[in-house]
């Protein structure tokens, strides 16, 4: 691990201002960042500790939704009675995502910013455009079983590893931020994560120094909430494919998929086919899929996982 300086932020704007300088990074739970620092994939020169800013409350909004503080832990969020009752897909996704020890430290904002688990990103001996822009992508033509089948580019085929992000996408969450000048903005989750294009190292819509302060959920949408996750082992593995679904009594609903793209994958046009079943939905959802020979299995696996989610919802 390379040497770095450290400070505790006193307020959100001061934290954003400190983070605007080159080489600075926010530190919250540290469950992803510290691991990457140890293997020198991440080499920040300055860390701004934001854990003491008081941004950890979960509160009802005047519109009837929930406002989740950026540094609410995954444990607190998954266990919140309102989340379990009204946003069950979110609670289920978080519990599927990690061990209890990790959930006790991991934060909502940190999960939004979780970096890929592509093995070539983690191996500093391999070319990776996400780690070092312009160096190439060793995953293309390499081992790609766990990687993207849709939304990828000639520069990157990594996937977003977060379970929470998939649930946030199906719920139409909004990310709230503050910048170094104190200006705030609200970013729809659909626009928050970026596809790789030719700049895979730019993963989100955040600007330099911009700090996530909260995530807002709209009013509950009802229906049966399902989160299905397929992985190589039964506990604490990243998704090969995951499905977040909210199914209404008339068969209509919403669906977002994880493990297949650089961002949580949702195509609202595909949801019109929900009453017709998983095959019809998947045909539109993955119409632009370009799998490799290693990960072509993911396309039928999405259909089967979605079918299991719809079946579970109908019998709930």
């Amino acid at each position: 691990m390379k040497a770095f300086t450290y400070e505790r932020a006193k307020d959100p704007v001061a934290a954003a201002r400190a983070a605007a300088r080159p080489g600075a990074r926010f530190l919250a739970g540290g469950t992803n960042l510290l691991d990457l620092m140890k293997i020198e994939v991440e080499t920040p020169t300055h860390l701004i500790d934001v854990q003491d800013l008081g941004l950890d409350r979960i509160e009802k909004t005047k519109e009837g939704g929930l406002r989740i503080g950026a540094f609410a832990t995954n444990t607190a969020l998954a266990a919140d009675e309102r989340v379990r009752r009204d946003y069950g897909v979110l609670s289920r996704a978080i519990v599927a995502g990690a061990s209890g020890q990790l959930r006790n430290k991991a934060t909502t904002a940190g999960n939004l910013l979780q970096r890929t688990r592509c093995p070539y990103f983690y191996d500093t001996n391999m070319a990776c455009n996400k780690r070092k822009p312009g160096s190439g992508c060793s995953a293309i033509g390499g081992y790609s079983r766990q990687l993207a089948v849709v939304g990828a580019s000639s520069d990157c085929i990594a996937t977003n590893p977060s379970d929470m992000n998939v649930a946030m996408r199906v719920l139409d969450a909004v990310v709230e931020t503050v910048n170094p000048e104190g200006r705030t903005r609200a970013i729809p989750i659909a626009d928050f994560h970026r596809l790789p294009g030719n700049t895979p190292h730019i993963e989100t819509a955040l600007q330099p120094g911009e700090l996530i302060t909260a995530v807002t959920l709209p009013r509950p949408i009802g229906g049966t909430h399902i989160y299905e996750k397929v992985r190589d082992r039964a506990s604490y593995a990243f998704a090969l494919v995951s499905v977040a679904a909210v199914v209404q009594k008339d068969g209509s609903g919403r669906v977002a998929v994880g493990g297949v793209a650089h961002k949580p994958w949702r195509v609202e046009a595909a949801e019109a086919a929900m009453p017709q079943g998983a095959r019809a939905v998947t045909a539109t959802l993955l119409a632009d899929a370009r799998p490799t020979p290693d990960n072509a299995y993911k396309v039928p696996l999405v259909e089967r996982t979605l079918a299991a989610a719809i079946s579970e919802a109908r019998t709930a």
Side-chain angles (χ1 to χ4, degrees):
M1 182 183 292
K2 292 186 179 295
F4 57 89
T5 53
Y6 170 90
E7 69 174 284
R8 282 183 179 270
K10 296 180 179 179
D11 63 73
V13 176
R17 193 175 298 123
R21 67 196 198 195
R25 292 292 305 273
F26 295 120
L27 174 68
T31 56
N32 191 200
L33 176 61
L34 294 181
D35 282 345
L36 292 172
M37 289 174 64
K38 290 174 185 177
I39 59 176
E40 297 188 3
V41 169
E42 291 270 13
T43 55
T45 56
H46 185 65
L47 293 182
I48 303 106
D49 192 328
V50 292
Q51 296 181 83
D52 297 333
L53 297 182
L55 301 175
D56 60 355
R57 293 185 291 275
I58 303 171
E59 304 168 312
K60 190 172 181 179
T61 66
K62 63 182 180 181
E63 294 81 14
L66 279 184
R67 187 175 188 270
I68 303 158
F71 308 123
T73 66
N74 285 181
T75 293
L77 183 56
D80 188 273
E81 180 181 356
R82 295 160 295 186
V83 175
R84 295 175 65 187
R85 181 188 65 233
D86 298 327
Y87 307 96
V89 65
L90 178 58
S91 182
R92 290 178 174 89
I94 291 170
V95 171
S99 67
Q101 294 93 328
L102 285 173
R103 293 198 302 271
N104 287 341
K105 289 295 293 180
T107 64
T108 300
N111 214 319
L112 283 171
L113 299 174
Q114 190 177 172
R115 306 206 69 188
T116 186
R117 261 53 180 194
C118 174
Y120 298 100
F121 173 72
Y122 271 73
D123 187 344
T124 56
N125 294 310
M126 294 291 183
C128 174
N129 288 316
K130 185 177 287 295
R131 179 168 23 83
K132 185 178 179 181
S135 63
C137 177
S138 295
I140 296 175
Y143 180 71
S144 57
R145 178 176 175 271
Q146 297 172 299
L147 302 179
V149 298
V150 68
S153 74
S154 60
D155 287 306
C156 183
I157 59 172
T159 55
N160 186 299
S162 170
D163 293 279
M164 185 199 80
N165 290 347
V166 185
M168 289 289 192
R169 180 67 181 91
V170 87
L171 292 171
D172 286 330
V174 175
V175 181
E176 298 179 9
T177 69
V178 64
N179 74 5
E181 287 74 45
R183 291 192 295 271
T184 62
R185 65 169 174 153
I187 309 170
I189 190 73
D191 301 326
F192 183 77
H193 297 101
R194 293 167 47 112
L195 292 178
N198 60 4
T199 55
H201 60 291
I202 304 175
E203 298 175 343
T204 71
L206 294 176
Q207 299 298 315
E210 197 167 12
L211 174 69
I212 297 171
T213 54
V215 177
T216 302
L217 299 178
R219 292 176 60 88
I221 58 175
T224 301
H225 291 224
I226 304 293
Y227 189 75
E228 293 279 356
K229 180 176 181 178
V230 181
R231 44 194 163 181
D232 280 326
R233 62 177 189 270
S235 63
Y236 315 129
F238 294 99
L240 299 172
V241 162
S242 64
V243 168
V246 179
V247 184
Q248 305 296 337
K249 289 183 179 180
D250 63 0
S252 65
R254 303 178 179 182
V255 59
V257 181
V260 299
H262 205 254
K263 61 187 291 184
W265 194 253
R266 183 179 174 197
V267 178
E268 282 85 342
E271 295 167 358
M274 285 285 282
Q276 301 170 40
R279 179 171 295 181
V281 175
T282 305
T284 301
L285 186 67
L286 298 183
D288 296 326
R290 299 293 184 270
T292 70
D294 287 341
N295 63 22
Y297 73 92
K298 287 192 176 190
V299 175
L301 186 57
V302 167
E303 180 183 329
R304 293 168 189 167
T305 307
L306 177 56
I310 293 172
S311 177
E312 182 179 349
R314 288 173 175 168
T315 58

